[in-house]
């Protein structure tokens, strides 16, 4: 799926960006794997403020990454917006970004949410936390390490190890506890599963409601969404569900990001940097994060009510580039211990 604010066909977008470079001064071409309605407002506000036309191609992150690789130096992409640090890291490993130096971005985006050399910047964040049945679970796990404790045998639901959220979580455990600690954790957690990994994050929370699981591992926004709008199998029982932000007295809760970086061969580099700086502004931060019930990347920006409902917590501030580089190792560990 792709959309552009000027309703260009894909062919026209490429023609505009490559064959007519003179027209390209007033444009920015965004490849995005985000597709939330509130993002529309982001793009139109940017155009209103700067006069720069936003052309968009939307698709799955891996498809957009493959496409940029295939297009090479002729790629019309100025920016790549993706979700999850491990996907962003993969794009960076393929050389798809270029460094950006911006005083605005450095001042606004916390150090742990951006690449050390400015290859990408996290603009919204989500925590990977525990949701549990308040009646059945009297002493919920308080740390990621607790998930591997035999006292939770047969109680935990988590999605598959092939999912990027699972990989980035284990990547963070490798970063904090080393390889041996990570192997032990993955093995212990596998033994505590209530069922073979299946479905998305919402399905893990649904499992708590249905009674199949006592404890679910999920990103915060899936629960916040069920507060904001009716989500089948969750919202009707939302008062029975408690949540724990893990590792509050140690490393803090594991965070992940929606991020954007300037493409290595961006034909409209200056406009791309302007767009990133715009995304770091208060108003854009609110749209960007609220669109998916996420936490803003920039400190002090008001949270949407469904997000604020979860309360304050301490976030893991280890740099996400540092965490994401462990994702290939994380997949190996899951495979080695037989975590599906
Ligand atoms: Fe998600």
């Amino acid at each position: 799926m792709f959309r552009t604010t000027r309703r260009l066909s894909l062919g026209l977008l490429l023609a505009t960006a490559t064959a007519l470079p003179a027209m390209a001064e007033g444009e920015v071409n965004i490849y995005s794997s985000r597709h939330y309605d509130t993002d529309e407002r982001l793009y139109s506000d940017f155009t209103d403020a700067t006069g720069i036309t936003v052309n968009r191609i939307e698709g799955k992150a891996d498809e957009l990454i493959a496409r940029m690789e295939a297009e090479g130096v002729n790629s019309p992409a100025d920016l790549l917006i993706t979700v999850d640090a491990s996907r962003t890291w993969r794009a960076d490993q393929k050389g798809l970004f270029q460094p950006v130096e911006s005083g605005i971005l450095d001042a606004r985006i916390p150090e742990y949410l951006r690449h050390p050399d400015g290859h990408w910047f996290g603009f919204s964040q989500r925590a990977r936390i525990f949701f549990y049945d308040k009646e059945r679970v009297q002493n919920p796990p308080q740390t990621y390490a607790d998930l591997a404790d035999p006292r939770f045998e047969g109680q935990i639901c988590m999605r598959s190890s092939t999912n990027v959220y699972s990989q980035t979580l284990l990547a963070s455990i490798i970063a904090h506890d080393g390889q041996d600690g990570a192997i032990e954790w993955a093995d212990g957690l596998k033994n505590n599963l209530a069922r073979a990994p299946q479905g998305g994050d919402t399905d893990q929370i649904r499992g708590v409601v249905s009674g199949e699981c006592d404890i679910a591992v999920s990103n915060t926004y899936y629960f916040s969404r069920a507060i904001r709008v009716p989500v089948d199998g969750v919202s009707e029982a939302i008062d029975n569900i408690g949540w724990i932000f893990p590792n509050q007295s140690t490393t803090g809760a594991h965070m992940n990001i929606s991020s954007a970086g300037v493409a290595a061969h961006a034909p409209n580099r200056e406009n791309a940097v302007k767009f990133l700086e715009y995304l770091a502004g208060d108003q854009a931060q609110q749209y960007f994060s609220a669109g998916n019930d996420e936490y803003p990347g920039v400190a002090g920006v008001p949270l949407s009510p469904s997000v604020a409902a979860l309360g304050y917590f301490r976030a893991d501030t280890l740099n996400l580039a540092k965490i994401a580089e462990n994702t290939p190792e994380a997949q190996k560990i899951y495979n080695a211990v037989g975590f599906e």
Side-chain angles (χ1 to χ4, degrees):
M1 174 172 71
F2 66 91
R3 294 184 230 167
T4 77
T5 47
R6 285 200 334 189
R7 304 211 171 273
L8 293 171
S9 74
L10 174 56
L12 278 174
L13 167 65
L14 293 170
T16 306
T18 55
L20 301 168
M23 278 182 65
E25 281 175 17
E27 296 182 333
V28 65
N29 300 324
I30 300 177
Y31 284 21
S32 175
S33 63
R34 273 175 61 103
H35 41 266
Y36 307 117
D37 289 344
T38 45
D39 285 3
E40 303 293 329
R41 184 77 188 272
L42 272 179
Y43 300 121
S44 61
D45 278 11
F46 176 69
T47 301
D48 289 349
T50 61
I52 297 167
T53 302
V54 176
N55 302 313
R56 273 183 298 150
I57 293 181
E58 292 183 349
K60 291 194 166 136
D62 290 332
E63 289 166 10
L64 295 174
I65 288 169
R67 182 179 176 141
M68 284 174 75
E69 270 191 287
E71 290 167 343
V73 295
N74 296 317
S75 177
D78 293 307
L79 287 163
L80 175 64
I81 299 179
T82 53
V83 170
D84 196 284
S86 66
R87 286 202 190 98
T88 311
W89 178 81
R90 225 181 299 145
D92 192 39
Q93 288 300 105
K94 293 174 188 290
L96 299 183
F97 295 123
Q98 61 171 292
V100 167
E101 266 193 59
S102 157
I104 293 173
L105 293 173
D106 287 354
R108 299 279 290 172
I109 306 293
E111 188 272 336
Y112 75 97
L113 298 180
R114 54 183 156 88
H115 184 276
D117 299 322
H119 291 197
W120 46 261
F121 299 82
F123 288 99
S124 65
Q125 43 182 335
R126 66 284 290 280
R128 197 147 185 78
I129 72 169
F130 313 149
F131 297 92
Y132 64 96
D133 183 279
K134 287 195 280 195
E135 270 186 20
R136 294 195 302 277
V137 183
Q138 297 303 318
N139 292 303
Q142 300 291 332
T143 65
Y144 295 105
D146 281 349
L147 293 182
D149 189 316
R151 79 185 166 100
F152 295 111
E153 192 183 344
Q155 295 189 55
I156 296 164
C157 284
M158 193 171 111
R159 67 199 286 172
S160 160
S161 67
T162 58
N163 177 263
V164 283
Y165 303 154
S166 301
Q167 291 169 10
T168 315
L169 174 59
L170 182 50
S172 85
I173 289 170
I174 297 171
H176 287 298
D177 302 337
Q179 199 190 22
D180 290 348
I183 292 169
E184 212 175 297
W185 180 82
D187 193 42
L189 172 55
K190 183 199 72 176
N191 292 332
N192 285 346
L193 291 178
R195 61 182 183 192
Q198 55 186 266
D201 278 14
T202 301
D203 296 312
Q204 314 312 312
I205 305 173
R206 284 193 182 109
V208 170
V209 172
S210 72
E212 217 181 327
C213 330
D214 293 327
I215 299 151
V217 179
S218 168
N219 287 345
T220 43
Y221 60 85
Y222 292 98
F223 188 79
S224 291
R225 180 185 300 152
I227 293 174
R228 180 171 55 82
V229 296
V231 172
D232 219 28
V234 178
S235 300
E236 64 270 28
I238 208 143
D239 292 340
N240 304 336
I241 302 172
W243 60 90
I244 294 288
F245 283 96
N247 289 28
Q248 293 303 283
S249 55
T250 54
T251 58
H254 169 57
M255 306 303 290
N256 215 319
I257 46 172
S258 289
S259 64
V262 175
H265 308 292
N268 306 290
R269 186 185 193 279
E270 225 173 282
N271 291 349
V273 174
K274 271 185 203 154
F275 187 79
L276 292 184
E277 290 174 343
Y278 158 79
L279 273 190
D282 280 358
Q283 184 80 81
Q285 275 287 297
Q286 272 188 54
Y287 291 145
F288 197 82
S289 57
N292 190 32
D293 298 287
E294 288 185 85
Y295 297 88
V298 174
V301 172
L303 305 179
S304 59
S306 61
V307 177
L310 294 182
Y312 289 99
F313 67 98
R314 175 177 173 187
D316 183 356
T317 55
L318 184 62
N319 192 287
L320 275 164
K322 198 80 204 142
I323 289 173
E325 70 186 23
N326 295 319
T327 47
E329 182 64 30
Q331 183 64 67
K332 275 187 211 154
I333 291 175
Y334 278 132
N335 292 345
V337 303
F339 193 117
E340 283 176 50

